Amino acid sequence: MMIWKRSIIGQLNTGRLAFSHIRQFHASSPALYKKWNELKKDDKQEFIKNFVSLYKEKHPCSKSNVMYRALASEMDEYNDTPYVFGVLYNEIRAVEKGESTDNQKGVGPMGDPDFVKLLYK
């Protein structure tokens, strides 16, 4: 602890303190959203049902609807949660946190704010 304090004090004295040490807090706190692997099975299944329904509503002509519905329909039969929805969940979460390298807020399904509302805190 003393080494860290001396380092910070030394950087302050020389004017080299980087602003990366300053934390920023946002009102929406996207860091509070749970990761897929932190959800209970019931929560995962609920997310999947809501995702499939919202996706169909927002993208009625998309061929992905057929795939998503087929995967979700077998959930109850096999008592599982198809992992592809975990990938989608984590990507929506990453976009919301500004960590995604493939998608951005406000663009496409992964960046749609309505899909963010499906995430669990």
Side-chain angles (χ1 to χ4, degrees):
M1 187 69 166
M2 288 301 276
I3 294 171
W4 183 78
K5 283 183 181 177
R6 272 190 242 139
S7 173
I8 293 294
I9 291 169
Q11 290 179 9
L12 282 172
N13 290 337
T14 61
R16 293 183 302 142
L17 182 62
F19 286 104
S20 64
H21 296 296
I22 298 173
R23 292 183 182 238
Q24 296 180 5
F25 294 96
H26 302 281
S28 64
S29 296
L32 295 178
Y33 294 118
K34 292 181 179 180
K35 295 178 183 176
W36 182 255
N37 64 353
E38 297 171 337
L39 299 179
K40 296 177 184 174
K41 185 176 74 170
D42 291 342
D43 292 337
K44 290 178 181 180
Q45 290 180 338
E46 186 67 24
F47 167 81
I48 292 169
K49 290 174 185 173
N50 292 335
F51 178 89
V52 170
S53 176
L54 183 59
Y55 195 90
K56 182 180 178 182
E57 177 185 319
K58 292 203 159 255
H59 306 280
C61 298
S62 173
K63 293 180 181 180
S64 297
N65 282 318
V66 175
M67 177 187 68
Y68 292 150
R69 280 184 288 157
L71 287 168
S73 70
E74 297 174 351
M75 238 180 359
D76 295 329
E77 181 181 343
Y78 295 105
N79 195 30
D80 71 351
T81 54
Y83 191 75
V84 67
F85 292 104
V87 173
L88 296 170
Y89 179 96
N90 285 334
E91 182 61 16
I92 295 167
R93 181 179 178 272
V95 170
E96 178 62 16
K97 291 179 69 178
E99 297 175 348
S100 176
T101 58
D102 300 314
N103 296 286
Q104 57 187 6
K105 282 186 182 184
V107 179
M110 299 299 107
D112 188 326
D114 287 336
F115 285 95
V116 174
K117 295 174 186 173
L118 302 178
L119 300 178
Y120 285 82
K121 292 186 178 185

